[in-house]
Amino acid sequence: MDLASPVIMANELDHLLASVAAKLSHIHPAYDRIAGRIAMGCIYKETPPLFSSSVRLMLHSQSIQFTTMYRESVSALLPYLDAEIVERNDFEFAYSDSVLLFRDVYLLRDGARLLERPQHLFMRLSVAINGTNLVAVRQTYIDLAKGLCTYDPSTMINAGTMLAQMIPHHSLPFFGQSTMDKFIKLTECSMISYGGGSIAIGASEFPAEGEVVDGRTSNGLRAITRVFDNIIHRVGKTPALSRGRITVFVEPWHSEIYCFLQDNTRTFFERQAHARGLYFALWIPDLFMSRIESGATWSLFRPGDVPGLASSWGENFTEKYEAYEKTGLAVRTVPAKELWDAIVNGLLKTGGPSIMFKDSVNAKSNLTHAGTLTFGGIAADTALTTSSKETGICCNGSVVLPAFVSEDGTFDYQLLHRTVQSITHDLNRILLINNYPSMPAAASYVSSRCIGVGVVGLAEVFIDLRIPYDSEKAIETGRFIMETIYHAALQTSCDLVDVYGVYPTFQGSPLSKGYLQFDLWKIKVSNDRYDWDELRHRVMKRGVVNAQLILLTDTTSSSRLTSFTEGFEPLPSTVLVKGFSLSSYVSLNARLVRDLQKLGLWNEDVRLKLLKFCGSMRSIPNIPADIRNIYKTVWELEEGFVLRHAVSRAPFVCQSQSITLYSSAPSEVWLSRSIFSAWKDGLKTGIYRLHGGRPPVPGSNSDDDVPME
């Protein structure tokens, strides 16, 4: 017996049991929750029982260094914080979506040992943001613990640490006009990437291949995009699931536009989706769209031959572009439709490049008075002021919308308003305490202090309110939600002037003249819900702290953490594949199963047909029409409703929206029509990405349609 050794450890048995339970989620979604509780129990066995014990371990760890402010704040408040922790909330997380993400990405470690629990992480973030203000610490923790809001992975992971790079969005112009300029900007990219930040790169003015700059011949866009790809994969310090990304923007007049599109396709096929870090996007002027419609030609130029073209928009851009055409500076002239077809074909093959509309962004931005916005954000979302001395930044957080649906089936707009006020307060604190990776990034904080309040789980809100996504009521409700968020954020930004002062470039901005975001859209908003006229006059008199406030961006990580649908997207399916690779499993939609159980309709036959038809209920008999309509997947919605939702809420989004288009059988005609529709409706983003795939085949007996049990 003395020689006997255990074949398997107790914690390994727990992990195995959790994995087995999760893989039974195709039978009932409760298994996913059970697996999450088993896996969370493993975390609890490994970690200290109290927040104070966790803090002491982390403060003495050699592998984690904390800021002096965090050390002093947590030490001062420690006697009060253990009582605030609500441990039972940790056992409400789903398995793969939340518990494994916490364990593998978010929670701090000392080597292989976990040092904290999810609730401890929330408290660490709360103290890092609010310092010794116990009332504010409690409020932030309560909002996080109750699932009312969440923040970007880099904000949560780095909170309180010496790295302290808590801002995810950076926008950096890459001119490449000298060797030193390239070296400085590449160093800055590396510093941002090291801290897990994401970067949008404006490369429209980067010299084309063969141009002589600073006595050297440029290797062009293709060479520099490979450098960016290496930076994001070789320098990025964070785990793959939370690694930042680099998105390169180019205008369609650049002489290497076709090479740029080819690189988009090459990068897509070279790397698997979860390992990809480099993305491509286009910053399209109205003139190009107009020439496509009219069947005219389009000229391509070397950036060095057309100074000022990238930094102009609207009529000014058109005048310069046509003047350069007349002087014969174009290196190539092609039919505009031919180039557009190449763009659309790239989208059909790879889901990219993203498209943002240069003139629409500049016409509806609160930043244009400070200079032309020359490119967009990492997910076709932000649009920030940049220059050789300023790297745009944006700190963002998300409201978890399903948490605001009351038990009586109504939406609590008052609680939403209060929560957005709290998030706006916290985002400004994050901007203040953040460790900026460069002086140009710090300069952006000084000049504009952009933040982005977004959303998670809009599809679940419509389900809980019993509203079909493709209905006028859903469009109206979504608009009311965004109106509430915009009002709360703008009101709080005005209130915080007493604390932070007016952002320096406020004078001359549309806000300083009384133009709110919906005014720039030339849309009249009544004072029935909120007194916009009073707030407008108050903003003009007092000013605001932040130049931009609302950002509907890609929320992949936040959505996994909360187990809700990404951002404002429709329901992808009622049957989901969760996890990665060998650990993936099929899970059913818990809300649908609950509703069918209430109606006495849940049985083995219905379950098997849901799996067979990939979540579609169109061919399952005896399912009431209202249930079918509420749980329509994105592949079953009436065409155009995704864009109609985007247009309806756009007047309350002062940055932009990461618009994803869906089609089970996308075609060039459909995709082109959809993007043109977005342009004509005045949206700032035409498309962030395209999701296309084989639709469920009702009545099919093919084994390929049935997830393996």
Side-chain angles (χ1 to χ4, degrees):
M1 291 296 293
D2 294 336
L3 298 176
S5 61
V7 176
I8 186 168
M9 302 297 289
N11 65 331
E12 293 178 315
L13 281 173
D14 288 340
H15 288 308
L16 179 60
L17 183 59
S19 175
V20 170
K23 292 182 178 181
L24 295 176
S25 299
H26 67 276
I27 296 176
H28 196 285
Y31 282 106
D32 201 12
R33 194 70 63 185
I34 292 170
R37 292 180 178 180
I38 296 172
M40 186 59 69
C42 294
I43 293 176
Y44 265 57
K45 290 176 184 178
E46 185 179 350
T47 51
L50 299 175
F51 177 68
S52 56
S53 304
S54 174
V55 167
R56 292 188 184 99
L57 270 178
M58 288 191 288
L59 292 181
H60 288 90
S61 171
Q62 296 298 315
S63 61
I64 308 171
Q65 299 296 319
F66 290 95
T67 63
T68 301
M69 188 182 80
Y70 178 76
R71 286 174 173 269
E72 293 177 351
S73 299
V74 77
S75 298
L77 297 179
L78 208 53
Y80 307 97
L81 299 181
D82 282 337
E84 300 293 332
I85 300 294
V86 185
E87 291 185 350
R88 65 177 180 273
N89 290 345
D90 280 341
F91 292 88
E92 296 302 317
F93 292 115
Y95 175 65
S96 176
D97 279 347
S98 304
V99 179
L100 296 189
L101 197 60
F102 274 122
R103 186 193 70 188
D104 298 337
V105 177
Y106 284 83
L107 302 181
L108 293 182
R109 292 175 176 269
D110 185 3
R113 184 188 177 185
L114 283 175
L115 297 180
E116 62 181 352
R117 300 168 176 177
Q119 296 302 312
H120 298 170
L121 165 63
F122 294 158
M123 185 59 78
R124 171 165 62 88
L125 176 61
S126 302
V127 174
I129 291 174
N130 296 291
T132 56
N133 186 339
L134 182 58
V135 174
V137 168
R138 282 173 172 162
Q139 187 60 65
T140 299
Y141 172 75
I142 289 171
D143 289 347
L144 288 166
K146 288 184 176 180
L148 299 178
C149 66
T150 186
Y151 293 90
D152 192 84
S154 60
T155 303
M156 300 177 74
I157 295 168
N158 296 333
T161 66
M162 286 294 289
L163 184 58
Q165 188 173 304
M166 301 169 69
I167 296 177
H169 290 254
H170 300 76
S171 295
L172 185 150
F174 202 89
F175 302 117
Q177 296 304 311
S178 68
T179 303
M180 181 58 67
D181 173 63
K182 286 186 280 189
F183 176 78
I184 291 172
K185 291 303 180 184
L186 288 173
T187 301
E188 187 175 0
C189 285
S190 300
M191 291 298 294
I192 295 170
S193 180
Y194 180 80
S198 294
I199 316 162
I201 303 252
S204 293
E205 295 182 85
F206 190 82
E209 184 176 7
E211 280 193 90
V212 178
V213 179
D214 196 26
R216 297 173 180 267
T217 302
S218 172
N219 291 321
L221 285 177
R222 175 162 291 174
I224 202 63
T225 54
R226 285 192 177 273
V227 174
F228 292 140
D229 192 37
N230 286 330
I231 286 176
I232 203 67
H233 287 93
R234 298 178 185 273
V235 180
K237 176 176 178 290
T238 56
L241 288 175
S242 63
R243 182 192 292 130
R245 65 170 65 180
I246 291 179
T247 300
V248 183
F249 275 83
V250 165
E251 293 195 39
W253 50 260
H254 196 289
S255 60
E256 291 189 286
I257 183 63
Y258 283 98
C259 291
F260 186 76
L261 296 174
Q262 291 169 5
D263 286 346
N264 169 68
T265 303
R266 172 187 56 78
T267 304
F268 176 83
F269 289 109
E270 277 184 359
R271 296 191 183 275
Q272 296 180 0
H274 68 274
R276 190 178 177 190
L278 179 65
Y279 294 82
F280 297 78
L282 297 175
W283 191 243
I284 293 183
D286 285 352
L287 181 62
F288 178 59
M289 301 298 284
S290 298
R291 289 200 177 184
I292 297 169
E293 279 195 313
S294 64
T297 58
W298 183 251
S299 300
L300 307 181
F301 300 95
R302 294 189 183 93
D305 295 338
V306 287
L309 197 58
S311 58
S312 58
W313 64 279
E315 293 183 1
N316 188 23
F317 174 88
T318 300
E319 291 173 1
K320 287 185 177 181
Y321 184 90
E322 292 177 346
Y324 286 133
E325 280 186 314
K326 291 177 181 177
T327 56
L329 291 173
V331 297
R332 184 180 177 186
T333 299
V334 299
K337 183 65 166 55
E338 176 189 296
L339 177 54
W340 178 249
D341 288 342
I343 295 169
V344 171
N345 285 330
L347 276 161
L348 292 172
K349 289 180 181 178
T350 68
S354 303
I355 290 175
M356 293 188 74
F357 300 119
K358 178 180 186 178
D359 295 321
S360 185
V361 172
N362 278 279
K364 302 182 181 79
S365 173
N366 189 52
L367 294 171
T368 308
H369 71 290
T372 300
L373 304 177
T374 55
F375 59 99
I378 55 170
D381 46 14
T382 59
L384 306 171
T385 302
T386 61
S387 68
S388 59
K389 299 179 180 178
E390 181 177 349
T391 295
I393 60 165
C394 180
C395 184
N396 60 290
S398 298
V399 185
V400 184
L401 293 176
F404 299 92
V405 180
S406 306
E407 292 183 2
D408 61 357
T410 59
F411 193 87
D412 193 338
Y413 289 97
Q414 186 175 356
L415 177 59
L416 175 63
H417 198 279
R418 200 278 302 159
T419 302
V420 173
Q421 289 179 316
S422 178
I423 293 174
T424 304
H425 170 274
D426 288 350
L427 291 177
N428 276 286
R429 282 286 302 172
I430 291 171
L431 285 173
L432 180 65
I433 66 174
N434 184 65
N435 182 17
Y436 292 94
S438 65
M439 287 302 294
S444 181
Y445 166 68
V446 173
S447 67
S448 55
R449 304 177 196 157
C450 293
I451 64 172
V453 181
V455 300
V456 170
L458 181 61
E460 282 79 7
V461 169
F462 294 149
I463 291 172
D464 292 343
L465 296 178
R466 323 311 289 171
I467 303 172
Y469 191 96
D470 53 351
S471 66
E472 299 301 326
K473 181 66 174 176
I475 291 176
E476 180 185 53
T477 302
R479 181 185 176 92
F480 286 160
I481 288 172
M482 289 313 306
E483 181 180 358
T484 300
I485 292 173
Y486 182 48
H487 184 273
L490 186 59
Q491 184 184 74
T492 306
S493 187
C494 188
D495 293 340
L496 289 175
V497 165
D498 294 332
V499 180
Y500 300 99
V502 179
Y503 74 91
T505 55
F506 173 75
Q507 292 302 324
S509 69
L511 275 177
S512 70
K513 301 173 183 178
Y515 292 100
L516 306 185
Q517 180 60 204
F518 52 80
D519 295 319
L520 299 178
W521 281 79
K522 296 180 173 59
I523 290 177
K524 177 69 175 177
V525 176
S526 71
N527 293 322
D528 294 343
R529 301 179 66 83
Y530 302 103
D531 193 342
W532 288 105
D533 291 337
E534 186 275 334
L535 182 57
R536 178 184 288 106
H537 292 307
R538 193 159 172 264
V539 167
M540 293 173 66
K541 182 179 179 180
R542 286 173 52 87
V544 291
V545 173
N546 312 102
Q548 302 204 82
L549 296 157
I550 309 300
L551 173 67
L552 299 185
T553 186
D554 176 24
T555 60
T556 302
S557 296
S558 299
S559 298
R560 282 197 63 197
L561 205 62
T562 59
S563 298
F564 293 123
T565 302
E566 291 183 28
F568 48 83
E569 303 295 338
L571 191 69
S573 178
T574 59
V575 175
L576 297 175
V577 177
K578 297 184 177 183
F580 291 101
S581 189
L582 296 177
S583 63
S584 63
Y585 60 94
V586 175
S587 181
L588 299 171
N589 185 289
R591 280 173 164 75
L592 174 60
V593 174
R594 176 199 63 197
D595 287 343
L596 292 178
Q597 284 178 328
K598 286 181 180 179
L599 295 172
L601 298 175
W602 180 250
N603 54 50
E604 183 68 2
D605 182 60
V606 170
R607 183 185 75 84
L608 291 175
K609 285 181 177 176
L610 268 178
L611 294 173
K612 178 177 182 179
F613 300 133
C614 303
S616 172
M617 290 184 287
R618 286 180 296 184
S619 298
I620 303 178
N622 303 324
I623 302 294
D626 60 331
I627 296 293
R628 295 176 193 271
N629 290 332
I630 291 169
Y631 287 96
K632 273 186 182 179
T633 67
V634 67
W635 314 105
E636 300 169 315
L637 296 178
E638 291 185 28
E639 183 177 338
F641 261 91
V642 170
L643 289 179
R644 287 189 61 191
H645 274 276
V647 172
S648 176
R649 60 178 168 254
F652 305 105
V653 182
C654 48
Q655 298 203 54
S656 192
Q657 313 174 55
S658 300
I659 297 174
T660 301
L661 296 180
Y662 299 84
S663 175
S664 56
S667 66
E668 291 184 30
V669 174
W670 167 81
L671 182 56
S672 183
R673 183 174 67 242
S674 297
I675 298 174
F676 264 88
S677 176
W679 171 58
K680 291 178 179 179
D681 286 334
L683 290 173
K684 302 172 187 177
T685 297
I687 184 172
Y688 163 46
R689 60 189 174 189
L690 171 66
H691 275 324
R694 185 168 61 94
V697 185
S700 170
N701 293 317
S702 170
D703 292 337
D704 293 336
D705 292 332
V706 186
M708 293 297 292
E709 294 188 29

